[in-house]
Structure formats: structure tokens, C-alpha cells
């Protein structure tokens, strides 16, 4: 019983983590039709921000996470202005530009903080959390409420704020949106700002839990892709559902078998979905 | 007048040549092809610190005297990132472009990829992993670390010191190093009368250890061995053990202690069993303490581990062999080393051993210290000998059984 | 007979002289770099074949790996001689290419992109997971080619003889690929990407030709993999991972993929640049990243389009007003904004 309970808890935490990363990626794709392959590097920079501010400069943890959110968000905004804008909606161009950005960001981090041993970030909340036999640390657990908070805030923004509604309009039909006077360019910058900020937040929260090193983005980016493809690229609800699916699938398979098989299963699921229903579980048909 | 001139000229010429000979000191290069980044960086990067101290000592003394020449020793490093194909490329570069006469390597899959090439070129490779030793790699030797053989000794000590601990979980990654740790640990635990309740290897790309530790803890182990998981992984595994509420005896071979204590509370690691003392341990020799002082002076605040001194200890053995042979040529050094009945090892005089298990006796085996953590620092609590362990009735058969099980024999 | 252009003169005259004499003047390590360059040239040219049908396959490097693993198993476990294993392993890669190419051909644009990654990654994960027969994480050992063993000075475990072997294989592969490109099949393949509706209305089986392109491209990638494996004497899954694919994409985008030689310009120039920048080796990925971003912004069709852009400025005087003669056949490639929506 404990084993099942512990596994469910592990699954929820993994799902939250996936959701936080994947939603940012899907938002960007929905609005800009660009797959930001450097999304993993934004996640990495979020983690490094926490390492520098919290582990080395001893800022309070949540302040460091907030700073990561802002810094990475700005980085995303800059990337849109300087780089992705020139892709003009061409998916392949955007992808290759993102590849270039990956190289640039990884090398920059390596040069500034070195590569070598991973950066240890002490747990901010190492106290144990016990639900009748099932135990974890507060540090791991807070991923769940923070993710719910951030995604809730995003939903609220997209639903109630003009800028948010403009984003959704640009995603659905850029031409009609432009006719309505919505600046598609502004929507693009906003989308990349928000999407990157979410990735930065994910990295910040994960820093005390996972290994912090310049190539840590690589491990998460493809899982994020699998999640958004299956959920329907551009579709936030679908992405959240897919995050739950894959969070639990990966956790269960890793516990019972091993993580390589879990990756293999994830990839095969994506292949099958692409072959049979390319728009994902809940997505609209590709226009 | 002429005589004076001739005398002056001779003195001048002699001085000139003498100075020239001193200045034209030859350089001998040794390659350092190890993981300097990535999850196993803690097994490669700190070694450079010890090597620097060794180089300082030797080169400042005027160089290494071999035969009737004096050499300045130079280390050429190459980061293989823990990847086999990179290790091979690095080896090629070090041998062909830099002309190294010996290689310092970590071992495992990375050295395996480079071995066919290095064997062909007859370059001695000093590794830290004994299970790399194979008959078709005569030039590969382990002259410092006794991984994975000392797992037998750790487990025997645990049974003696903690007879109430009857179950053990072994958590290691699925590669050559991890499998070796599991095989030898399982053998040791069985010989010591301890039940191994979990020994499944995990994938090397694992980033989240929660599910794995959950599965291991479900079997209720009294002992957790992280064997030779990569240091980063060990820290994350032990963190999970702590947060999932476990308390018991930890044992491991090559951890990064600071990385672990950053993740678990103070004192949680007390009682952990390993085999590597800090070099300021009063039970070690003055040479050890000198090394410790020099290291602390040059690298204050750094984390000490066996890696810091093991690569430079290999240099000690190499230098011993070169001086014995009177030559730095790899084949001559090799012959001299293998011909010696006993070779000075960091922990005392050591024998060549390994034919029954590895096919060739290229492992230097001394008496090995056992350490226990007290107040977050390791202390020597016992000395054990591999040869004595093997001589005990039934032990050899148990070892064989597990080597076959994990396909190491 | 046409007048031979300067470019053709270079290839017929100067290039062979350099290619043949260079290995004797360079160190063994540098000869290996040349061998690697030739292998990469085979890679980009075979990749380009697939792009002519509109698909940018992220499975290309795993296909190279299929050839490498196949040869490791044929020559290692099964004792097949190298000369037979080479084409056989290529065929294996080609067959696997055909198998995954069929479901992939039914996807387009971004979906194809991601699906090809998934297929390649699934193959790679299988190598990692299954120690038998793929050796798992540590990979496999690869024997030295057993060619001309009786001839003592032809030792294929050394750099120079192996370079010439690679040169021969590369030239043959390039010749075949070039002929294919210029042939009727080649034109059909290109039409599939650039004239979607036309090909459909003429009744050309688009799926069949996409699979052919994918399969043939994979065959040559496999050959490249075999040549690589028998030089390194060891292969492991990480070599065929995504980082290698990223470099492949950078080479092809930088060089351009409209012409046959575009990708070759890309890989040669970037490889030379990386060698020149060896003292700054740590900065190289960032420099490549910056180069590729700037290329996409300012020269989206890659290096190969450069002569076409410079030519107007070389004309003097009033002739400047006249449009320059058309360069190679151009077709809107993947870098152009899609007219028929390829999203």
C-alpha cells in the first residue's frame, strides 16, 4: 500500500514538472508556430539562476525562483526580438535558429561557470512531509502547488486580459487577428516571454532536486516534445492532460522496469499518435 | 698568452655545454584521458589536483632522474566526458600528436573503447578499475585503486561490526563500473551472511531517483550500498533515501562526500563504511600527511576524495618502474614493473594479483584500510587483505558464482 | 561539349592533387580528420537527397548508426569479410530506412520532423537498452578491416591507407548520388516537394518516391557509418545521438540544400573553421550557433546562394542594370515561407 501511495506521489510530482515545462513550449508553438528547441536551455538558465542567487548569494529561495522567472522571461523576450522574429513562421527555420541559440547558451554557461562537477544546490525545504507512511521532502512537493498556481495564473491571463485574449486570437487565426488590429508581433513576444518564464520557473524549482549542469536541458526537451505532440501542439488543455499521462507512465515504468524502457515507451507512444492522430489527443486538425 | 686564451676558451666552452645540457632537459609526456565533465567528472577532475602536487614536487626537485638522464614530466589532459568514442579520439590524439609514453585513465567503458588502439601501440594505461583488466590488454594495469575487490572487505567488516544488519540493497548504474560493483558486492554480502534484497541496475540517463529508491526501500534493507554509482547519482540516491524516511548503514566505494552532505542533514552519514581515509589520518604515514598539507594549501575548501591522490599514486608507480628500467620507453617500464616481486603502493608494499579472476595479474593488491564516518569525517577502523579473504573456505566459490551471474567471467 | 567552367576545372584538376598528396604531408591525427570529413561529406549528401522530397529527417544519424552496428555485428560476431559487410550493412540501413520511411512519408512538415526524431531515437534507445546483441551503453567493438592482408604495407589499421579507402568509397557514393540527382528519378523527387499539386494531378505516387528517397539516403548514411566504425574500432550509442544530428543540420543549412554541392560546401567550410579555431575549441559551439542564426537571418539559402547574390555586384557599368544570368536551378526550399501551408 505504501509502495502504491509513494508511486502515486512520485507520479504527481513528475507530472507537475512536465506540465510546467511543456505548457510554455506549447504556448509558444501555438502563437508563433515556432518550436523553441532552446526551451531546455531556458530551463537550465532558470536552474543556474537559483544556484547563483540562492546557493551562492544566499537569497531566500522563493525570491530566487521569482528572479529566475523574470530573468528567463526577459531572455525569451529578447530571443524573439533578435532571432525568432526572422523565421517568419517557418517551422524549420525557427527550429534551426533555436539550435543555434542552444549552442550559444550552453557555451556561454560553460565559459562563465565552467563544466565539470555538477553544481550542488542545497534543499531549501528539506523537512520531511509524511502522509501516513508515504514520505517525501517539502522541496519536492512544492512543485505541485507552484505549478497549479502558475498555470492557473496563465489561464486567468489568457481568459480575462486583453493581451491574453489577443494571444489566443493570434494563435487561432493570425490573419483575422491582424485585421482586428492585434499586433501579431506583440503576441509573439508575449508568448515567448511567458513560455520561457515558465521554463525558467521549472528549472528554478528543480535545481535543488536534479543535477545542475550546462547540458541539463537536453534531458527534458525531448520529453517536453513528446508531451506536447501527444497533447496537441498549441493546445494547453491537451498538454496538461498529456503531462499527467506521461508523468505517471514514466514513473510507473521506471519503478517497475527502468528509465531507458520508460523513454522508449514514451517515444513509441508519440510515434503511434503521430501516425494515427497527428493532431494529438485533443488538438484541432492541422490547417 | 696563447695558453691563457686556450684555457679561457676551454672554460667558456665547457660552461656553455654544461649549461646547454642542463637547459636542454628532456620532457616526457604522460596523457590524462579522463572524464573532466559530466556525471563522472568527480572521478576525473579532482585527480588533476593530486597530479599537480606530484608535478610540483618532481619538477621543482630538478626533474625525474631516469637512467643517466633527467626528465621534466608534463601531463597532457583530455576531457573524454565519460564517453567511449571521445576517449578513443583523445587517446589517438595524445599518442600521435603529443607523443605520450603512458596514459592515466579512469577505466570502465571509456577505457574499453580506447584499449584496442592503446594495446596495439603498446602504451601502458593506468586505470582505477580492476575489472578492466583482461588478458588481451596486457598493457592495462591498475596500480592504485582496488575497485571492485574491496567491496568484499567492506561487507565483511559490516557483518563483524553490525551483526544485526541482515539485509542489503545495492543501487548502481547499468554500465561496466556499476555492474562490477554489484557483482562483487553481492558476493561479499553472501559470504558475510547478509541477504541481498535488491540489486537492479538503473539506466545511466536517470535523472529522477525517487521511483528507484522507492522500489529498493520496499524490500526493507538494513544496509544500502551505492557501490560505484557516479558521485552525482550517489548524492541524489542518498538524498532520496533520507527523504523517504530510511535510516540504516550506508556503504559505498567512491563517493563525493561534499556532494552528499549538501543533500542530507549533518550527521546522517555517520556510521557509513568505505575504504578511503583523509590523508591527515593519524594511522597513515608522514608522506600521506605531507601530501595532505600540500593539497590543503593549494586547494583550500575543495572536497577530498580518493580520486585526488590515486592518479598521482599511479605516477609514483610509473616513476618507480621507469627508474627500475633506467628508461621511459613504455615497453621497458612495463617489463620492469611486471618483473618486480613487490611494488610500493600508497598503502604499503603490494603484490601483483588477478590471474584467476581477470586472466592476467595486472592488479597491485596491498592491505586495504576500512573507514567509518564519525562527525562527517572518515576514520580508519580496520585493515583487511583481499588475499586473506580469498583464502577463507567457500569464499572463492561464492565470488565465482556472482562473477558468472553478472557475466564478468 | 560545354566549356569547362572554373569550378569544374578545380574539381577535375586541383582537388584530386590535393586529395591524394595531402595525407603524406600531414600527421596521422590530421589524416584522420580528413577521413572524418569525407565521412561527413557522405552524410550530408545522402541527407540532402531526403530533403529534396521536402523531408528534414532527424533520423539520419541513427540510420548511420544502423550501418555501423550492422557492420560491427556482421564482421564481429558473424565473421563476414569487410568487403561484403560494407554493402550489406548499407543495405541493412536502407531496409530499415524503408521500414520507417513508409509511416513517416504519411506525415508532413513539423510532424515529419518530430516523427523522424522519434523513430531514430527509438532505434537508439534499443541499442542502449539491449546488451545482447547491441552491447548496451558500452556499445560494440569493431574489428579492423581484413583487406589485402597479404600485402604488408597496406595496413588498414593505420591512418593513411584507411584514408584512401574512405576516399574511394566516398567518390563512388558521391558519383551515384550525383547521377541520381540529375536523373529522371531525381527530378521527380524534387518535383514532389516543389510542385505538390502538379505531381498529384499527374498521378505520381508521392509516398512511393518519398520512401525511395528515404531508403536510398539511409543506405548511404549506413555506408558512412560502416566506414566510421571500422576506423574507430568501437561504437556506442552516444555517438549517434542528437548532438551529431544538430551539427549535421548546421552544416546543411549553412551550405544550402538546393544544389548538390551546397551541403558539401557547408561541411567543408565549417570543419575547416573548427580546425582553425582549435586553440579556441571551447568557443566553437557558440561560434557555430551564432553563424547559423546569422545565416538564417541574412543568407537563408545558405552558402551556395552566395555567388548568385554577389554576381550582380561584379558586373560593371550599365550592365549592372541587367538581371544576372540565372544560377543553378532554384526551387523554393524549406527555408522559404510556405505557400501551400506546410504546418
Amino acid at each position: 500500500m505504501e509502495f502504491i501511495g509513494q508511486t502515486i506521489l512520485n507520479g504527481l510530482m513528475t507530472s507537475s514538472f512536465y506540465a510546467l515545462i511543456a505548457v510554455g513550449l506549447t504556448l509558444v508553438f501555438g502563437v508563433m508556430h515556432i518550436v523553441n528547441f532552446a526551451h531546455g536551455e531556458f530551463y537550465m538558465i532558470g536552474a543556474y539562476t537559483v544556484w547563483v542567487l540562492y546557493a551562492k548569494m544566499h537569497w531566500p529561495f522563493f525570491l530566487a525562483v521569482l528572479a529566475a522567472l523574470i530573468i528567463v522571461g526577459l531572455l525569451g523576450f529578447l530571443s524573439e526580438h533578435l532571432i525568432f522574429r526572422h523565421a517568419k513562421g517557418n517551422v524549420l527555420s525557427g527550429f534551426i535558429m533555436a539550435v543555434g541559440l542552444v549552442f550559444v547558451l550552453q557555451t556561454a554557461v560553460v565559459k562563465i561557470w565552467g563544466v565539470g562537477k555538477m553544481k550542488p544546490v542545497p534543499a531549501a525545504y528539506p523537512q520531511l512531509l509524511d502522509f501516513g507512511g508515504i514520505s517525501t521532502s517539502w522541496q519536492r512537493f512544492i512543485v505541485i502547488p507552484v505549478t497549479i498556481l502558475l498555470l492557473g495564473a496563465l489561464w486567468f491571463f489568457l481568459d480575462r486580459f486583453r493581451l491574453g485574449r489577443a494571444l489566443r486570437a493570434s494563435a487561432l487565426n493570425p490573419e483575422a487577428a491582424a485585421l482586428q488590429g492585434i499586433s501579431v508581433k506583440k503576441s509573439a513576444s508575449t508568448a515567448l516571454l511567458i513560455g520561457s518564464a515558465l521554463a525558467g520557473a521549472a528549472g528554478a524549482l528543480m535545481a535543488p532536486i536534479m543535477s545542475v549542469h550546462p547540458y541539463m536541458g537536453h534531458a527534458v526537451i525531448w520529453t517536453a516534445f513528446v508531451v506536447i505532440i501527444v497533447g496537441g501542439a498549441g493546445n494547453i488543455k491537451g498538454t496538461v492532460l498529456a503531462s499527467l499521462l506521461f508523468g505517471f507512465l514514466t514513473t510507473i515504468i521506471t519503478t517497475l522496469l527502468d528509465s531507458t524502457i520508460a523513454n522508449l515507451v514514451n517515444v513509441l507512444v508519440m510515434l503511434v499518435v503521430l501516425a494515427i492522430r497527428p493532431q494529438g489527443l485533443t488538438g484541432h486538425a492541422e490547417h | 698568452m696563447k695558453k691563457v686564451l686556450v684555457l679561457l676558451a676551454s672554460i667558456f666552452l665547457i660552461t656553455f655545454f654544461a649549461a646547454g645540457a642542463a637547459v636542454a632537459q628532456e620532457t616526457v609526456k604522460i596523457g590524462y584521458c579522463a572524464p573532466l565533465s559530466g556525471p563522472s567528472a568527480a572521478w576525473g577532475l579532482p585527480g588533476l589536483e593530486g597530479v599537480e602536487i606530484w608535478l610540483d614536487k618532481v619538477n621543482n626537485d630538478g626533474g625525474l632522474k631516469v637512467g643517466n638522464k633527467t626528465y621534466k614530466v608534463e601531463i597532457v589532459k583530455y576531457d573524454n566526458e565519460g564517453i567511449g568514442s571521445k576517449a578513443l579520439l583523445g587517446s589517438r590524439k595524445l599518442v600521435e600528436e603529443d607523443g605520450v609514453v603512458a596514459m592515466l585513465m579512469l577505466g570502465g567503458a571509456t577505457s574499453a573503447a580506447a584499449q584496442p588502439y592503446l594495446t596495439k601501440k603498446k602504451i601502458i594505461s593506468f586505470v582505477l578499475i580492476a575489472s578492466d583488466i583482461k588478458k588481451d590488454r596486457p598493457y592495462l594495469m591498475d596500480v592504485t585503486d582496488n575497485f571492485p575487490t574491496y567491496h568484499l572487505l567492506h561487507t565483511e567488516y559490516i557483518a563483524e561490526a553490525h551483526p544485526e544488519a541482515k539485509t542489503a540493497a545495492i543501487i548502481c548504474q547499468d554500465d561496466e563500473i556499476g555492474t562490477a560493483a554489484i557483482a562483487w558486492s553481492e558476493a561479499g554480502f553472501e559470504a558475510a551472511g547478509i541477504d541481498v534484497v535488491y540489486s537492479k541496475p538503473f539506466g545511466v540517463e536517470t535523472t529522477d531517483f525517487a521511483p528507484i529508491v522507492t522500489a529498493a526501500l520496499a524490500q526493507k534493507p538494513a544496509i544500502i550500498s551505492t557501490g560505484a554509482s557516479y558521485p552525482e547519482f550517489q548524492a541524489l540516491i542518498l538524498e532520496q533515501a533520507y527523504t523517504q524516511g530510511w535510516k540504516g548503514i550506508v556503504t559505498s566505494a567512491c563517493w563525493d562526500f561534499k556532494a552528499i552532505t549538501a543533500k542530507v542533514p549533518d550527521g546522517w552519514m555517520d556510521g557509513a563504511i568505505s575504504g578511503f581515509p583523509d590523508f591527515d589520518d593519524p594511522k597513515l604515514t608522514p608522506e600521506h600527511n605531507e601530501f595532505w598539507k600540500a593539497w590543503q594549501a593549494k586547494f583550500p575548501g575543495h572536497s577530498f576524495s580518493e580520486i585526488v591522490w590515486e592518479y598521482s599514486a599511479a605516477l609514483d608507480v610509473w616513476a618507480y618502474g621507469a627508474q627500475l628500467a633506467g628508461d621511459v620507453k613504455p615497453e621497458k617500464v612495463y617489463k620492469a614493473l611486471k618483473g618486480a616481486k613487490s611494488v610500493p603502493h600508497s598503502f604499503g608494499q603490494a603484490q601483483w594479483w588477478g590471474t584467476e579472476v581477470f586472466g592476467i595479474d595486472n592488479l597491485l593488491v596491498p592491505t586495504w584500510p576500512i573507514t567509518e564516518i564519525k562527525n562527517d569525517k572518515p576514520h580508519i577502523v580496520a585493515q583487511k587483505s583481499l588475499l586473506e579473504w580469498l583464502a577463507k573456505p567457500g569464499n572463492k566459490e561464492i565470488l565465482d558464482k556472482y562473477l558468472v551471474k553478472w557475466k564478468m567471467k | 561539349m560545354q566549356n569547362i567552367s572554373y569550378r569544374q576545372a578545380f574539381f577535375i584538376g586541383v582537388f584530386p592533387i590535393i586529395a591524394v598528396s595531402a595525407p603524406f604531408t600531414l600527421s596521422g591525427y590530421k589524416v584522420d580528420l580528413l577521413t572524418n570529413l569525407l565521412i561527413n561529406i557522405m552524410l550530408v549528401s545522402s541527407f540532402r537527397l531526403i530533403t529534396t522530397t521536402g523531408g528534414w529527417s532527424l533520423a539520419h544519424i541513427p540510420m548511420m548508426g544502423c550501418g555501423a552496428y550492422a557492420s560491427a555485428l556482421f564482421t564481429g560476431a558473424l565473421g563476414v569479410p569487410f568487403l561484403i559487410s560494407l554493402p550489406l550493412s548499407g543495405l541493412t540501413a536502407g531496409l530499415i530506412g524503408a521500414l520507417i520511411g513508409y509511416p513517416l512519408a504519411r506525415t508532413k512538415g513539423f510532424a515529419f520532423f518530430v516523427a523522424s526524431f522519434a523513430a531514430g531515437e527509438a532505434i537508439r534507445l534499443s541499442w542502449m537498452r539491449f546488451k545482447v546483441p547491441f552491447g548496451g551503453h558500452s556499445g560494440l567493438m569493431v574489428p579492423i578491416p581484413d583487406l589485402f592482408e597479404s600485402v604488408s604495407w597496406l595496413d588498414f589499421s593505420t591512418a593513411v591507407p584507411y584514408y584512401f579507402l574512405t576516399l574511394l568509397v566516398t567518390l563512388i557514393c558521391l558519383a551515384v548520388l550525383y547521377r541520381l540527382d540529375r536523373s529522371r528519378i531525381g527530378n521527380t523527387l524534387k518535383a514532389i516537394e516543389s510542385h505538390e499539386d502538379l505531381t498529384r494531378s499527374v498521378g505520381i505516387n508521392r509516398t512511393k518516391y518519398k520512401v525511395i528517397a528515404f531508403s536510398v539516403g539511409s543506405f548511404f548514411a549506413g555506408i558512412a557509418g560502416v566506414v566510421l566504425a571500422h576506423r574507430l574500432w568501437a561504437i556506442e550509442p552516444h555517438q549517434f545521438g542528437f548532438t551529431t544530428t544538430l551539427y549535421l543540420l548546421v552544416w546543411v543549412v549553412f551550405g544550402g540544400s538546393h544544389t548538390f554541392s551546397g551541403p558539401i560546401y557547408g561541411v567543408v567550410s565549417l570543419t575547416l573553421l573548427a580546425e582553425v579555431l582549435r586553440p579556441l575549441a571551447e568557443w566553437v559551439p557558440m561560434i557555430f550557433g551564432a553563424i547559423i542564426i546569422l545565416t538564417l537571418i541574412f543568407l537563408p539559402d545558405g552558402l551556395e546562394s552566395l555567388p548568385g547574390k554577389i554576381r550582380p555586384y561584379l558586373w560593371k557599368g550599365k550592365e549592372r542594370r541587367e538581371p544576372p544570368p540565372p544560377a543553378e536551378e532554384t526551387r523554393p526550399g524549406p527555408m522559404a515561407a510556405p505557400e501551400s501551408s506546410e504546418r
Side-chain angles (χ1 to χ4, degrees):
Chain A
M1 203 34 220
E2 251 173 56
F3 179 67
I4 298 181
Q6 188 76 54
T7 305
I8 294 181
L9 185 59
N10 291 343
L12 276 172
M13 294 190 291
T14 308
S15 303
S16 306
F17 167 60
Y18 285 173
L20 204 51
I21 294 196
V23 167
L25 196 57
T26 212
L27 182 68
V28 170
F29 183 77
V31 173
M32 298 169 64
H33 289 282
I34 296 272
V35 181
N36 179 14
F37 193 65
H39 200 70
E41 273 54 47
F42 288 151
Y43 159 82
M44 178 261 291
I45 291 180
Y48 265 86
T49 308
V50 162
W51 176 66
V52 170
L53 295 178
Y54 166 66
K56 300 207 86 188
M57 291 169 54
H58 304 290
W59 283 27
F61 183 68
F62 266 109
L63 209 55
V65 174
L66 198 61
L69 215 133
I70 297 175
I71 290 175
V72 180
L74 283 174
L75 189 61
F77 182 78
L78 269 174
S79 308
E80 197 279 324
H81 260 281
L82 296 175
I83 303 175
F84 292 115
R85 181 159 293 193
H86 301 275
K88 301 188 181 77
N90 182 297
V91 176
L92 186 58
S93 292
F95 183 83
I96 306 280
M97 285 177 180
V99 169
L101 189 58
V102 165
F103 283 151
V104 170
L105 291 175
Q106 280 178 353
T107 313
V109 171
V110 167
K111 285 314 273 184
I112 300 177
W113 290 295
V115 76
K117 292 208 267 177
M118 300 179 192
K119 312 293 181 198
V121 179
Y125 308 105
Q127 306 84 352
L128 297 183
L129 187 57
D130 205 308
F131 306 113
I134 309 168
S135 144
T136 185
S137 68
W138 268 109
Q139 185 68 60
R140 277 193 151 248
F141 185 75
I142 53 171
V143 179
I144 302 180
V146 171
T147 301
I148 297 177
L149 188 72
L150 285 173
L151 292 185
L154 179 65
W155 175 82
F156 194 66
F157 170 74
L158 291 174
D159 196 54
R160 300 286 163 86
F161 281 72
R162 188 137 60 102
L163 192 52
R165 307 237 280 263
L167 267 181
R168 285 162 60 200
S170 304
L172 274 174
N173 193 333
E175 278 146 21
L179 284 172
Q180 290 279 321
I182 292 174
S183 160
V184 176
K185 276 204 183 123
K186 202 170 168 195
S187 303
S189 316
T190 313
L192 204 46
L193 190 149
I194 296 178
S196 310
L198 287 174
L205 287 170
M206 284 292 137
I209 301 175
M210 293 192 168
S211 316
V212 176
H213 62 96
Y215 308 107
M216 64 192 287
H218 186 72
V220 301
I221 187 70
W222 282 110
T223 312
F225 264 57
V226 170
V227 168
I228 72 171
I229 294 288
V230 171
N235 182 316
I236 295 183
K237 269 195 211 121
T239 301
V240 174
L241 279 173
S243 306
L244 276 164
L245 169 68
F246 281 105
F248 276 95
L249 197 60
T250 307
T251 302
I252 294 174
I253 297 182
T254 307
T255 312
L256 296 177
L257 295 167
D258 64 65
S259 62
T260 312
I261 296 204
N263 282 341
L264 194 50
V265 169
N266 286 351
V267 162
L268 288 172
V269 169
M270 174 163 77
L271 260 177
V272 168
V273 168
L274 274 172
I276 301 180
R277 201 185 145 92
Q279 63 271 36
L281 292 177
T282 61
H284 313 289
E286 302 247 295
H287 48 94
Chain B
M1 189 57 194
K2 242 199 212 164
K3 269 192 194 159
V4 173
L5 276 174
V6 168
L7 189 59
L8 277 176
S10 331
I11 295 176
F12 175 76
L13 277 171
I14 291 173
T15 326
F16 180 78
F17 273 111
V23 162
Q25 184 191 48
E26 281 189 51
T27 311
V28 65
K29 290 190 187 160
I30 299 187
Y32 191 102
C33 181
L36 304 177
S37 63
S40 46
W43 288 341
L45 205 49
L48 287 172
E49 296 175 9
V51 162
E52 250 183 80
I53 296 182
W54 191 93
L55 287 174
D56 282 346
K57 189 151 150 255
V58 164
N59 289 334
N60 290 345
D61 266 352
L64 186 72
K65 282 194 193 45
V66 176
N68 49 11
K69 289 207 193 136
T70 312
Y71 290 93
K72 174 167 182 277
V73 184
E74 203 183 292
I75 301 284
V76 186
K77 61 178 179 186
Y78 187 92
D79 178 7
N80 64 32
E81 300 176 35
I83 298 168
S85 48
K86 287 214 159 82
L88 182 52
L89 283 171
S91 303
R92 284 200 139 108
K93 174 202 174 271
L94 290 169
V95 172
E96 292 181 29
E97 275 219 338
D98 300 298
V100 302
V101 300
M103 295 280 286
L104 295 170
M105 303 181 89
L106 169 66
T110 50
S111 107
Q115 280 316 308
Y117 172 74
L118 289 172
T119 308
K120 201 156 196 291
K121 293 279 181 181
K122 299 199 168 90
I123 304 282
I124 308 178
S125 307
F126 293 108
V127 299
L128 304 186
I129 297 177
S131 40
D132 276 5
I133 298 175
K134 283 198 186 30
K135 216 157 165 200
D136 59 359
R137 303 167 176 173
Y139 296 96
L140 182 146
M141 39 177 74
D142 180 354
V143 301
T144 55
D145 201 303
N146 267 203
F147 174 85
T149 66
Y150 44 40
H151 285 294
L152 303 169
L153 311 176
H154 297 170
T155 50
E156 192 180 65
Y157 177 79
I158 294 178
E160 289 164 8
H162 301 276
E164 75 286 356
K166 284 294 177 196
T167 51
I170 310 175
I171 310 180
C172 271
Q173 76 272 354
D174 185 10
D175 71 359
E176 295 191 1
I177 299 175
T179 321
I182 298 176
W184 289 73
S185 298
E186 266 197 301
F189 280 125
E190 180 172 309
I194 297 173
D195 218 359
V196 173
V197 294
Y198 181 93
S199 62
K200 202 162 64 156
F202 60 82
V204 177
E205 347 56 60
T206 305
T207 47
D208 183 5
F209 289 93
I212 291 167
V213 176
T214 304
L217 293 186
Q219 306 298 325
K220 306 228 183 304
I223 304 165
I224 289 185
S225 167
T226 48
S229 293
Y230 295 141
E232 289 310 322
F233 296 166
Q234 290 195 38
L236 294 171
I237 292 171
L238 292 172
E239 183 196 21
Q240 279 306 308
Y242 159 68
T243 60
Q244 291 186 30
W246 180 84
K247 187 75 185 86
I249 301 169
V250 173
T251 178
S252 145
C254 308
W255 55 39
D256 177 350
F257 200 65
K258 269 220 169 99
I260 298 176
T261 51
K263 299 274 187 193
V264 300
D266 286 339
W268 190 85
M269 281 294 278
D270 277 357
I273 307 291
S274 183
F276 295 105
D278 284 348
F279 271 20
D280 60 349
D281 198 306
K283 294 204 179 136
L284 291 174
T285 69
E287 281 83 38
H288 289 117
N289 297 340
E290 249 179 63
F291 179 89
W292 173 264
K293 282 204 199 84
W295 176 79
Q296 280 221 307
K298 206 160 187 193
F299 303 100
H302 282 215
S303 173
F304 189 79
S305 70
E306 69 288 352
I307 301 293
V308 171
W309 59 265
E310 278 181 345
Y311 289 93
S312 57
L315 281 174
D316 274 334
V317 173
W318 172 81
Y320 174 80
Q323 287 175 330
L324 211 58
D327 200 321
V328 294
K329 281 207 260 311
E331 277 185 76
K332 297 226 159 97
V333 176
Y334 178 74
K335 265 212 179 91
L337 279 175
K338 286 311 296 286
K341 277 244 158 54
S342 88
V343 177
H345 178 284
S346 191
F347 289 141
Q349 288 293 107
Q351 327 301 85
W352 290 112
W353 176 86
T355 315
E356 319 110 57
V357 172
F358 306 120
I360 181 174
D361 58 348
N362 277 7
L363 173 65
L364 268 186
V365 175
T367 319
W368 207 268
I370 309 283
T371 60
E372 188 175 309
I373 303 287
K374 282 182 199 130
N375 296 327
D376 280 337
K377 195 168 163 72
H379 295 265
I380 298 180
V381 289
Q383 298 268 2
K384 281 191 175 288
S385 150
L386 171 70
L387 300 172
E388 273 173 33
W389 188 94
L390 285 168
K392 294 196 179 128
N395 278 358
K396 255 215 188 114
E397 289 70 32
I398 296 178
L399 177 62
D400 268 348
K401 179 171 91 172
Y402 284 100
L403 290 181
V404 169
K405 171 182 173 190
W406 291 94
K407 301 199 178 53
M408 300 194 68
K409 205 171 188 198
Chain C
M1 185 176 123
Q2 295 170 292
N3 286 337
I4 299 180
S5 67
Y6 284 127
R7 188 196 302 168
Q8 284 172 318
F10 175 78
F11 279 116
I12 295 172
V14 180
F15 172 70
I17 297 178
I18 299 179
V20 171
S21 62
F24 297 105
T25 59
L26 298 172
S27 71
Y29 179 66
K30 293 221 160 51
V31 175
D32 269 340
L33 287 177
L34 283 178
T35 307
N36 261 315
L37 178 60
L38 289 173
I39 292 173
N40 290 335
I41 289 178
M42 275 194 277
L43 258 186
V44 298
S45 303
S46 52
F47 184 74
R48 191 234 166 204
L49 180 66
I50 303 178
T51 68
T52 59
T53 58
W56 282 61
S57 162
L58 296 184
H60 202 68
I61 297 292
M63 288 298 111
M64 176 196 206
C66 285
Y69 269 89
S71 194
L73 290 169
F74 287 143
T75 55
L78 299 177
V80 173
F82 175 77
L83 270 180
I84 300 184
S85 173
L86 179 63
L88 198 59
S89 306
L91 273 168
T92 310
L95 236 105
I96 298 178
L99 274 169
I100 68 173
Y102 184 69
L104 286 180
R106 290 148 65 80
T107 61
K108 260 196 333 190
F110 176 55
F112 175 86
F113 209 47
V114 181
S116 65
F117 166 76
E121 187 69 358
I123 294 175
R124 204 175 73 91
L125 285 169
S126 317
W127 296 333
M128 280 204 278
R129 182 59 181 69
F130 299 113
K131 280 221 185 91
V132 179
F134 300 119
H137 264 284
S138 331
L140 295 173
M141 294 290 153
V142 181
I144 300 166
D146 51 351
L147 290 176
F148 302 115
E149 271 169 338
S150 44
V151 184
S152 61
W153 53 268
L154 265 187
D155 181 3
F156 286 100
S157 71
T158 55
V160 176
Y162 203 85
Y163 164 82
F164 282 108
L165 173 65
T166 310
L167 185 62
L168 187 63
V169 174
T170 307
L171 287 174
I172 297 176
C173 291
L174 285 181
V176 172
L177 282 168
Y178 188 72
R179 289 296 308 277
L180 192 63
D181 187 58
R182 298 260 145 177
S183 73
R184 210 177 132 164
I185 298 182
N187 285 332
T188 313
L189 294 176
K190 290 176 205 164
I192 287 177
E193 202 251 333
S194 55
H195 297 88
E196 190 178 331
D197 303 317
L198 185 60
T199 47
R200 254 201 257 270
S201 58
V202 171
I204 291 179
N205 184 342
R206 300 168 51 83
T207 306
K208 173 172 130 194
Y209 280 95
K210 281 188 178 178
V211 175
I212 290 179
F214 201 88
S215 185
V216 173
S218 301
F219 170 82
F220 285 106
I223 299 276
V226 176
V227 178
L228 179 70
H230 286 275
R231 180 67 192 126
L232 293 180
W233 308 336
I235 51 173
E236 34 98 34
H238 190 275
Q239 271 171 290
F240 306 108
F242 201 65
T243 315
T244 318
T245 304
L246 290 183
Y247 278 96
L248 172 66
L249 291 174
V250 170
W251 294 330
V252 176
V253 169
F254 183 65
S257 56
H258 297 191
T259 62
F260 183 79
S261 38
I264 300 181
Y265 292 146
V267 72
V268 171
S269 51
L270 287 178
T271 304
L272 275 172
L273 184 65
E275 243 330 273
V276 164
L277 292 176
R278 207 139 57 104
L280 296 172
E282 291 171 328
W283 293 99
V284 167
M286 182 187 269
I287 295 173
F288 273 32
I291 287 179
I292 203 63
I293 293 176
L294 291 170
T295 305
L296 282 170
I297 299 177
F298 296 110
L299 197 65
D301 293 322
L303 263 190
E304 66 190 3
S305 64
L306 202 53
K309 295 214 160 91
I310 290 182
R311 236 174 260 166
Y313 297 93
L314 297 177
W315 289 89
K316 292 182 191 150
K318 65 175 174 21
E319 289 169 324
R320 216 184 240 219
R321 299 281 165 86
E322 291 181 37
E328 305 246 352
E329 47 167 272
T330 49
R331 34 179 195 90
M335 293 298 122
E339 305 147 13
S340 60
S341 176
E342 279 259 306
R343 289 174 190 172

